[in-house]
Amino acid sequence: MIAYSQKVEDMACVAKEVNHGPAPIPEEGKWVQAKEVKDISGLTHGVGWCAPQQGACKLTLNVKEGIIQEALVETIGCSGMTHSAAMASEILIGKTILEALNTDLVCDAINTAMRELFLQIVYGRSQTAFSDDGLPVGAGLDDLGKGLRSQVGTMYSTLKKGPRYLELAEGYVTRLALDKEDRVIGYEVVQLGKAMEAIKKGTDANEAIKKNTSTKGRFADAAKYIDPREE
């Protein structure tokens, strides 16, 4: 029973005529008046960070009728967060988005990503808002591409020595191509995901790396080449 203060009890009753309910939000190609957690469906993403901002998390969830059916947890910048992500991947599946929002996902960056994702999805801002029936479970893997590795970009530079490309979406950078004025004009990369798949299928490791190495930019026109991690 709800308790009312005496001040409210003594008030006169005024009829409340208007009750249109919540504004409909777009979900998987439908307009839905979301009143309960089971009314929420969609695939979307959230990005989170911890208080010292030493690491970040990108969280992707595929939600069907309020229940998390699929989770992709990607982290960067903190070694401990990778293990937290492993635990979060077990925790998230099968929970409602409300449960997940109020569950300790081990790491503040992952908790924050869950909060940001929750806001996206309950306001109808999901990636699948206007896609009929949304995306099937398994669609989260499409974010990783071939080789099933996160899209990672790692660059390092100093004022004295300039930039070093270490890893890009194409892969692990092994050599930088420089022109006569020491400007970067290309690079050589190894697609680690594809290389590892080849090795698992029996290809010699050196041969697998060679077959999955490619160059970008004007690599062949370089005046010199450097190892960005050693030179």
Side-chain angles (χ1 to χ4, degrees):
M1 184 176 177
I2 298 174
Y4 291 89
S5 70
Q6 192 60 47
K7 178 81 172 175
V8 173
E9 290 284 6
D10 293 340
M11 289 179 177
C13 285
V14 178
K16 180 178 179 291
E17 293 291 332
V18 179
N19 183 16
H20 297 309
I25 60 174
E27 290 185 21
E28 300 192 338
K30 303 178 183 69
W31 289 94
V32 178
Q33 280 190 310
K35 299 179 181 180
E36 301 178 45
V37 70
K38 66 181 179 61
D39 296 328
I40 299 295
S41 294
L43 180 144
T44 198
H45 319 275
V47 174
W49 55 95
C50 58
Q53 298 190 32
Q54 64 188 28
C57 169
K58 177 196 168 192
L59 177 63
T60 302
L61 297 184
N62 199 349
V63 179
K64 301 292 185 183
E65 297 180 348
I67 305 295
I68 297 169
Q69 302 289 340
E70 177 183 18
L72 172 62
V73 190
E74 301 174 85
T75 67
I76 191 167
C78 173
S79 58
M81 198 195 304
T82 61
H83 296 75
S84 298
M87 289 182 272
S89 69
E90 296 183 29
I91 293 168
L92 285 163
I93 300 303
K95 289 189 180 295
T96 68
I97 56 169
L98 187 59
E99 287 178 305
L101 184 68
N102 290 286
T103 298
D104 180 10
L105 298 176
V106 188
C107 162
D108 278 349
I110 304 174
N111 288 323
T112 303
M114 182 65 220
R115 180 194 71 197
E116 297 300 307
L117 184 153
F118 182 90
L119 293 174
Q120 293 280 340
I121 202 167
V122 298
Y123 283 128
R125 306 306 196 269
S126 70
Q127 181 178 317
T128 54
F130 298 102
S131 301
D132 287 343
D133 300 321
L135 290 171
V137 175
L141 292 178
D142 293 341
D143 281 3
L144 299 178
K146 295 179 179 178
L148 300 183
R149 298 188 77 243
S150 294
Q151 304 298 312
V152 176
T154 307
M155 314 295 155
Y156 178 75
S157 64
T158 61
L159 180 60
K160 185 175 183 179
K161 297 296 184 178
R164 299 292 188 276
Y165 301 176
L166 302 177
E167 190 158 357
L168 298 108
E170 297 98 315
Y172 180 96
V173 179
T174 52
R175 287 191 293 167
L176 290 183
L178 307 182
D179 65 12
K180 292 179 180 179
E181 297 179 3
D182 292 331
R183 295 175 300 190
V184 178
I185 59 171
Y187 48 90
E188 179 184 70
V189 293
V190 179
Q191 290 180 285
L192 291 178
K194 285 187 174 182
M196 289 304 300
E197 286 180 356
I199 291 169
K200 285 189 290 184
K201 292 176 181 177
T203 303
D204 174 74
N206 289 325
E207 184 65 22
I209 290 175
K210 184 178 179 180
K211 285 184 176 179
N212 289 284
T213 296
S214 60
T215 62
K216 307 295 179 182
R218 294 186 291 116
F219 188 83
D221 300 334
K224 66 177 179 180
Y225 303 96
I226 65 168
D227 180 335
R229 290 171 177 79
E230 300 293 337
E231 298 176 73

